[in-house]
Amino acid sequence: MMRLPTSIAAVLIALALPAWADEGAPATARNYQQHCAACHAADRLGSMGPALLPDNLARLRKGEAVKVITGGRAATQMPAFAELLSKDEIAALAEWIYTPVTPAPKWTESDIRASRIQHTDPATLSPTPVFSADSLNLFLVVETGDHHVSVLDGDRLEPIYRFQSRFALHGGPKFTADGRYVFFASRDGWITKFDLWNLKVIAEVRAGINTRNVAVSSDGRFVIAANYLPQDLVLFDAELNLVKVMDATTLDGSRSSRVSAVYDAAPRKSFVAAMKDIPELWEISYDENAEPIYDGYVHDYRMKEGVAKPGFLNARRTPLEDVLDDFYFDQDYRQVMGASRKGEGQVVNLDARRKVASLPLDGMPHLGSGITWAWHDASGIERTVMASTNLKSGEVTVIDMKTWEVVRRIPTRGPGFFLRSHENSRYAFVDSMMSREASHILQVIDKQTLEVVKEITAEPGQTLAHIEFTRDGRYALASLWEQDGAIVVLDALTLDEVKRLPMKKPVGKYNVWNKISRDEGTSH
């Protein structure tokens, strides 16, 4: 927030009056326009500061919002208002920003195009890395404490660069296949393209008002964003120029949906997206030779009956029995393991475009952070298994990826969010960050015995979570998820702590090689 000159504030109030009665405009609305609109926009959609809408603030408790308005945010342009507004006025502002805007805000194709910012001319950049570190063993550390990203040398385990990010990055960064470019998505819709070889922000564009995540095509030509608001998928070229907007609606347009997530299915040359409110899974091919799409009922598509639309950059719909909130690909990307918030799991074959199996899942499995490995059962038979945390239950669920049966439910300290390993490691690390009592505990699971063999702890009341390995799997890095936090470096064999790197609430870290090689121990 930023205090405005009186004249500017008056203009903004006048512009906003259609939303509030003329002389009866509430004092809270006037306070917002005077003190907040310059950074957060008169319509609360965000500008220099983030959007202040209920869905965008879902992870910020009202009590915390009161603290931010009162005391400001360190290392940002958000000032303190304790001396300008009373406690009651601050409490009213905090309450007000959690109320919906009526009518619901829109973000059009024109808005998207007008929002694009070119920060750096690509012609001025070096074609090779400007540093000596291994570019494939870099980490990107997202620090939400002061909204920065640190670039970490994975060999020396030291930071080499740090830059300011958009507010509340969400969904994890996505890399091009060579590891040079990385794309970030913020919760309020900003997509940022960063050149990791030159350590430069190249371009930005605002894809929506409330964005879930972003995906990058395996050939590096396209970037796609999944939105809650507006309810759509937004496709860009690699330079973040708008290609098209796909409204997330049923075929007849009678129902719309938030988009739960979108991921790249590299072997299929396509994006796959799950809908949160309608029982459909979409596949959008970026292969110019993709088969045409026949929507609805067709007697025999092989006879070219019905009216087809091009398979390139259009949605191929798979009807489902239930919605999918999150999903995980099997190893050849032919099948999707998905679950709803009700804990009902299903396996969907992307070629047959139908459900082929049910998954016996309870609680709220977090399949998006699942991992796989080769496990030997009691008979010595090697089986590929997938394991997932659970947002409601204290367990890691291990599933056979051929029979789709649960082979083990491993008890944990509490509901967890992240599960990580590496193909060169015998261990998987799981947090209990959704538990009030055990958020400070990381548990280490032996991937063959399927037993917890060690616990790594921080101070009670803190949060220790999100492991990521170095390229060779020698070190495992954990996030001490605190304002004055740290990256805790562990020896992945002995499980001893090696060092700590101070960070500002490092919520996640992402190794270039593990991401672009789709290592079995990390989410894709």
Side-chain angles (χ1 to χ4, degrees):
M1 295 181 183
M2 181 182 297
R3 186 161 189 175
L4 290 174
T6 303
S7 59
I8 299 177
V11 171
L12 285 170
I13 292 172
L15 292 174
L17 283 180
W20 301 292
D22 190 11
E23 293 185 3
T28 302
R30 292 196 299 270
N31 278 336
Y32 177 86
Q33 293 301 321
Q34 181 177 358
H35 300 293
C36 313
C39 288
H40 299 280
D43 53 12
R44 290 163 48 197
L45 296 190
S47 179
M48 292 168 56
L52 298 179
L53 301 170
D55 286 345
N56 297 68
L57 298 170
R59 293 192 177 185
L60 183 72
R61 293 186 175 91
K62 288 183 183 178
E64 185 62 28
V66 169
K67 291 180 182 179
V68 172
I69 298 171
T70 302
R73 276 189 184 274
T76 73
Q77 296 184 44
M78 175 67 190
F81 284 86
E83 296 183 2
L84 295 174
L85 300 171
S86 70
K87 289 184 178 180
D88 288 344
E89 287 175 322
I90 289 174
L93 264 178
E95 184 70 30
W96 192 66
I97 62 177
Y98 283 85
T99 60
V101 170
T102 304
K106 297 180 180 180
W107 194 251
T108 66
E109 292 189 16
S110 296
D111 294 322
I112 295 170
R113 291 191 175 94
S115 72
R116 187 182 180 280
I117 305 168
Q118 187 74 45
H119 291 284
T120 304
D121 180 359
T124 65
L125 300 175
S126 168
T128 58
V130 297
F131 46 82
S132 59
D134 178 1
S135 63
L136 296 180
N137 196 27
L138 297 178
F139 289 81
L140 291 176
V141 183
V142 175
E143 299 178 70
T144 62
D146 59 356
H147 308 293
H148 278 72
V149 175
S150 285
V151 181
L152 182 66
D153 180 341
D155 292 322
R156 295 190 300 113
L157 297 172
E158 291 289 345
I160 62 173
Y161 189 70
R162 194 170 190 262
F163 63 97
Q164 188 169 2
S165 74
R166 290 283 175 173
F167 177 82
L169 297 186
H170 186 61
K174 298 299 188 295
F175 299 88
T176 53
D178 60 0
R180 174 172 179 174
Y181 298 106
V182 59
F183 295 84
F184 301 90
S186 74
R187 183 173 288 278
D188 57 354
W190 282 99
I191 312 302
T192 302
K193 179 181 181 180
F194 184 77
D195 185 335
L196 197 50
W197 290 4
N198 285 272
L199 304 176
K200 296 281 188 181
V201 174
I202 304 301
E204 293 183 295
V205 68
R206 193 174 187 185
I209 299 169
N210 188 340
T211 296
R212 290 299 294 169
N213 75 326
V214 67
V216 180
S217 64
S218 58
D219 58 11
R221 293 189 300 158
F222 298 104
V223 179
I224 192 168
N227 285 331
Y228 267 19
L229 183 68
Q231 297 180 352
D232 57 25
L233 288 155
V234 184
L235 186 70
F236 301 93
D237 66 18
E239 303 306 320
L240 297 184
N241 297 301
L242 180 64
V243 175
K244 68 184 299 186
V245 174
M246 291 170 273
D247 293 330
T249 64
T250 52
L251 189 59
D252 62 6
S254 62
R255 296 171 60 193
S256 63
S257 175
R258 295 165 290 176
V259 185
S260 297
V262 62
Y263 299 118
D264 177 52
R268 304 178 66 84
K269 298 182 180 179
S270 67
F271 298 114
V272 177
M275 302 294 144
K276 191 175 183 67
D277 306 304
I278 57 177
E280 293 184 358
L281 190 70
W282 288 15
E283 183 168 15
I284 300 138
S285 178
Y286 48 82
D287 182 353
E288 285 91 343
N289 299 316
E291 291 291 324
I293 297 169
Y294 294 89
D295 285 320
Y297 293 101
V298 176
H299 178 259
D300 190 341
Y301 71 89
R302 293 169 297 181
M303 301 300 294
K304 310 299 181 185
E305 297 178 355
V307 178
K309 62 183 178 183
F312 179 57
L313 301 185
N314 282 309
R316 192 181 302 273
R317 302 165 186 262
T318 296
L320 305 174
E321 295 178 3
D322 195 7
V323 297
L324 296 183
D325 279 280
D326 205 356
F327 62 93
Y328 184 87
F329 293 108
D330 69 359
Q331 292 176 311
D332 60 8
Y333 285 74
R334 291 185 61 246
Q335 299 180 110
V336 161
M337 304 167 66
S340 70
R341 289 286 172 179
K342 295 183 291 185
E344 297 175 0
Q346 53 186 311
V347 181
V348 179
N349 187 291
L350 291 173
D351 294 330
R353 289 198 291 138
R354 63 181 179 86
K355 175 184 173 181
V356 294
S358 296
L359 292 174
L361 299 173
D362 300 315
M364 192 184 292
H366 188 219
L367 296 177
S369 70
I371 62 174
T372 61
W373 69 86
W375 173 69
H376 294 84
D377 64 18
S379 302
I381 298 173
E382 183 175 287
R383 303 160 71 176
T384 298
V385 296
M386 179 267 193
S388 168
T389 57
N390 199 298
L391 303 180
K392 285 187 175 179
S393 301
E395 72 170 40
V396 168
T397 311
V398 184
I399 299 169
D400 186 304
M401 296 193 70
K402 282 192 176 179
T403 66
W404 308 116
E405 297 174 345
V406 173
V407 299
R408 189 73 57 87
R409 297 183 187 275
I410 306 172
T412 63
R413 286 282 195 159
F417 203 88
F418 298 107
L419 182 67
R420 290 290 186 271
S421 186
H422 190 278
E423 62 182 4
N424 294 333
S425 175
R426 63 181 291 183
Y427 300 121
F429 293 75
V430 62
D431 64 69
S432 297
M433 65 175 293
M434 312 301 288
S435 166
R436 291 184 179 180
E437 297 77 20
S439 63
H440 64 297
I441 300 174
L442 274 178
Q443 293 180 284
V444 184
I445 297 170
D446 187 302
K447 293 193 295 188
Q448 291 306 313
T449 66
L450 304 184
E451 300 285 346
V452 174
V453 295
K454 185 169 181 174
E455 292 186 340
I456 298 167
T457 63
E459 294 295 323
Q462 295 184 331
T463 297
L464 189 63
H466 196 276
I467 286 283
E468 177 70 300
F469 285 75
T470 52
R471 176 181 179 179
D472 58 6
R474 180 180 178 186
Y475 297 105
L477 282 62
S479 290
L480 184 59
W481 204 306
E482 304 298 324
Q483 181 63 31
D484 292 315
I487 295 298
V488 182
V489 181
L490 305 168
D491 186 299
L493 181 62
T494 66
L495 305 179
D496 295 327
E497 182 175 326
V498 175
K499 66 188 301 186
R500 293 192 177 202
L501 305 173
M503 299 278 175
K504 293 293 185 182
K505 201 173 184 180
V507 298
K509 69 217 73 67
Y510 308 88
N511 180 269
V512 175
W513 174 256
N514 292 342
K515 290 299 183 183
I516 66 174
S517 67
R518 295 178 172 82
D519 182 87
E520 65 182 30
T522 190
S523 60
H524 302 164

